[in-house]
Amino acid sequence: MTPRYTRPEMGHIWSRQHYFQCQLEVEIAVCEAWAEVGLIPRADIEKIRGASFSIDRIDEIESTTDHETDAFVAATAETLGPESRWLHYGLTSSDVLDTGLSLQLVAAADQLLERLRNLESVASKRALEHKKTLTIARTHGIHAEPTTFGFKLLVWVDEIRRQIRRLEDAKEQIAYGKISGSVGTHANVPPQVEEIACANLGLNFANVSNQILQRDRHAQFLTTLAIIGGSLEKFSTELRSLQRTEIGETEEHFGEGQHGSSSMPHKRNPFRLERICGLARLLRANAHAALENMALWHERDMSNSSLERVILPDATIALDFMLWQFGRILGGLRVNVARMRENLDFTHGLIYSQGILLALIEAGMSRQEAYAAVHEHAMQAFNDGTPLNELLAADSQVTELIDEDSLRGYFQPDRHLKWIDTAYSRLGLDSSNDQGG
């Protein structure tokens, strides 16, 4: 992943130093387990705990061996004495690589969960702030009925919470190690060593494995990241649309001295939101690649390995950046309350047609007759701009059933908001301190 989209915390998790450090932790944990079952002398373990490595030395050895794990083990052994013979005892490369990778993925998941929980907090705060900020809801891109901007955000809060639960589950499924030897039969490393080592690393142990951890775990993890990215793309697409000049209801923060275009000085573009949408496509592509990695030959082949060195860091780094970026956008989002109200009135009252329809039905008119009556006036209002309430007030068929005061009441947006407190309550949000306009 390009450094442009790499936040320091996630970048560290996927650095080469941390990559090998996780493998060293696995090697030491296995030696600790061997000592616990009585194979490795305690004096040797004390020295093995002080093992280290040099990336330059690993690279130097690998240039000859063309085998990264052997180079890592050899470079680490050079920092020890005779006790180095216990490093990698009974193991295959994947015992170390897959278990070390799980440590990295768990750390990445924790970082992403922190970002998600922060985003949920920001979205909840703004949903409360704009609980009563009237705006027009759109279906098919067309004005539908009144809603509030806070209610829009409340839908996002619920979705973010679902994403937190999904990622927690994906983290649980990836928090596994395997120390079971070359084909998983424990021929050279007993199950007890695996169980002790994984526990020491804070991981579960795979009940059964072949040479590797099965890649359905990694596929679930990356598809979960793609789903989270899909939500961020959805949120960003909505805000991008609302920022369009002819709508103008929200806007990304535009800082002092910021430029929107190299050629048009007036431009204020939603480029951060567009960036999030673009990276969401990368997450979906990586998820597809992870699904392709599930089918390997026999006890394993290595066709998954090279791909995972790209898609796992890239996906977690990209989503980390997206969550960080969107949290900042939403927290600093400019909400144009006056423009929302202006747009609410744009269709001369057409958005209140359903209330009149239902009122006529309640007054005794058949649904078909009521729909036809309201539809006729709505189409006239749409075509010539005459306010719908004026057309209805001039129709004796309507006024015989709905008096003038009641008719005016159906053209008030507040009547559409009488139940939104229920949704806030269902999400456990205290809306008593809302500040909406």
Side-chain angles (χ1 to χ4, degrees):
M1 175 59 67
T2 172
R4 183 180 182 88
Y5 304 129
T6 303
R7 302 300 303 160
E9 304 89 344
M10 191 64 81
H12 167 72
I13 291 170
W14 295 108
S15 67
R16 289 194 77 207
Q17 181 69 32
H18 190 67
Y19 168 72
F20 287 118
Q21 184 61 41
C22 287
Q23 293 176 41
L24 180 58
E25 290 177 21
V26 174
E27 292 281 2
I28 293 174
V30 173
C31 287
E32 295 271 12
W34 277 119
E36 190 167 331
V37 300
L39 176 67
I40 299 180
R42 280 294 166 188
D44 286 357
I45 274 295
E46 294 300 327
K47 295 176 181 177
I48 290 171
R49 288 173 183 151
S52 61
F53 60 85
S54 161
I55 291 179
D56 287 343
R57 182 58 179 146
I58 292 172
D59 291 343
E60 183 181 1
I61 297 172
E62 188 181 3
S63 68
T64 299
T65 65
D66 200 22
H67 196 288
E68 183 187 71
T69 302
D70 272 351
F72 161 72
V73 173
T76 303
E78 290 177 354
T79 70
L80 299 170
E83 65 279 358
S84 66
R85 69 188 187 277
W86 301 118
L87 286 177
H88 212 65
Y89 183 83
L91 304 185
T92 190
S93 298
S94 294
D95 289 323
V96 180
L97 293 172
D98 273 9
T99 306
L101 177 59
S102 292
L103 293 176
Q104 289 179 282
L105 289 172
V106 168
D110 285 337
Q111 173 64 25
L112 294 173
L113 284 166
E114 182 179 342
R115 297 278 194 214
L116 271 170
R117 291 178 181 126
N118 177 70
L119 179 58
E120 190 273 338
S121 177
V122 172
S124 295
K125 179 180 178 181
R126 303 230 65 180
L128 285 167
E129 177 187 353
H130 290 286
K131 185 186 125 194
K132 295 180 181 177
T133 300
L134 283 162
T135 191
I136 186 63
R138 298 171 175 88
T139 58
H140 305 275
I142 306 300
H143 285 206
E145 290 186 339
T147 185
T148 73
F149 187 64
F151 194 78
K152 274 179 177 281
L153 298 182
L154 194 67
V155 174
W156 298 2
V157 171
D158 197 30
E159 186 164 342
I160 294 166
R161 291 180 180 180
R162 290 196 299 276
Q163 301 294 20
I164 290 171
R165 292 193 295 272
R166 286 189 181 103
L167 185 53
E168 287 172 339
D169 183 58
K171 173 191 168 184
E172 180 182 346
Q173 293 301 318
I174 204 64
Y176 278 77
K178 61 87 58 181
I179 308 294
S180 54
S182 298
V183 295
T185 60
H186 292 282
N188 299 298
V189 53
Q192 186 181 7
V193 169
E194 177 180 58
E195 293 166 13
I196 295 170
C198 288
N200 288 342
L201 292 166
L203 299 173
N204 301 302
F205 57 87
N207 290 325
V208 60
S209 58
N210 44 36
Q211 191 175 90
I212 59 171
L213 286 170
Q214 302 309 289
R215 260 41 195 178
D216 61 288
R217 299 181 185 277
H218 306 74
Q220 179 183 354
F221 188 78
L222 282 201
T223 52
T224 299
L225 301 195
I227 294 169
I228 296 170
S231 289
L232 294 176
E233 182 181 20
K234 182 179 83 172
F235 306 157
S236 298
T237 298
E238 175 69 8
L239 295 181
R240 286 171 58 196
S241 179
L242 295 180
Q243 187 167 332
R244 285 184 295 163
T245 305
E246 61 270 26
I247 295 178
E249 294 179 356
T250 65
E251 185 183 31
E252 282 186 18
H253 173 73
F254 196 85
E256 184 71 25
Q258 182 177 333
H259 292 188
S261 168
S262 64
S263 59
M264 295 172 283
H266 71 280
K267 295 297 291 298
R268 292 161 68 108
N269 300 327
F271 73 93
R272 298 182 187 92
L273 294 165
E274 292 168 337
R275 179 185 291 154
I276 290 169
C277 292
L279 290 174
R281 299 167 189 169
L282 174 70
L283 293 180
R284 288 193 290 274
N286 287 348
H288 176 78
L291 292 169
E292 294 290 331
N293 273 349
M294 289 175 60
L296 302 175
W297 285 12
H298 307 298
E299 276 57 56
R300 82 147 318 184
D301 62 61
M302 239 177 71
S303 59
N304 66 298
S305 177
S306 56
L307 186 57
E308 287 174 355
R309 288 176 185 260
V310 176
I311 63 174
L312 293 174
D314 277 11
T316 52
I317 287 171
L319 183 58
D320 182 58
F321 176 84
M322 293 163 69
L323 289 166
W324 171 81
Q325 181 89 100
F326 190 76
R328 288 165 59 89
I329 292 169
L330 189 58
L333 189 71
R334 176 176 173 265
V335 179
N336 190 337
V337 177
R339 187 62 174 270
M340 287 181 175
R341 188 55 193 251
E342 181 182 336
N343 288 341
L344 194 71
D345 298 331
F346 182 76
T347 60
H348 311 291
L350 284 175
I351 59 177
Y352 303 110
S353 67
Q354 183 173 189
I356 306 301
L357 167 67
L358 298 179
L360 290 173
I361 293 171
E362 291 174 13
M365 190 178 289
S366 74
R367 177 179 177 82
Q368 289 71 26
E369 290 175 324
Y371 194 98
V374 178
H375 181 263
E376 178 183 355
H377 294 306
M379 292 304 99
Q380 182 179 346
F382 184 90
N383 289 326
D384 63 23
T386 304
L388 179 60
N389 63 325
E390 293 181 11
L391 295 171
L392 291 168
D395 186 337
S396 60
Q397 185 183 16
V398 173
T399 55
E400 284 177 3
L401 297 175
I402 305 175
D403 63 59
E404 186 176 341
D405 287 341
S406 297
L407 187 61
R408 279 197 298 269
Y410 287 110
F411 285 84
Q412 300 304 312
D414 288 346
R415 65 181 297 274
H416 290 264
L417 312 184
K418 62 182 178 180
W419 295 114
I420 67 169
D421 279 339
T422 300
Y424 280 82
S425 296
R426 287 173 175 175
L427 295 190
L429 291 181
D430 178 14
S431 58
S432 61
N433 62 346
D434 61 89
Q435 308 163 24

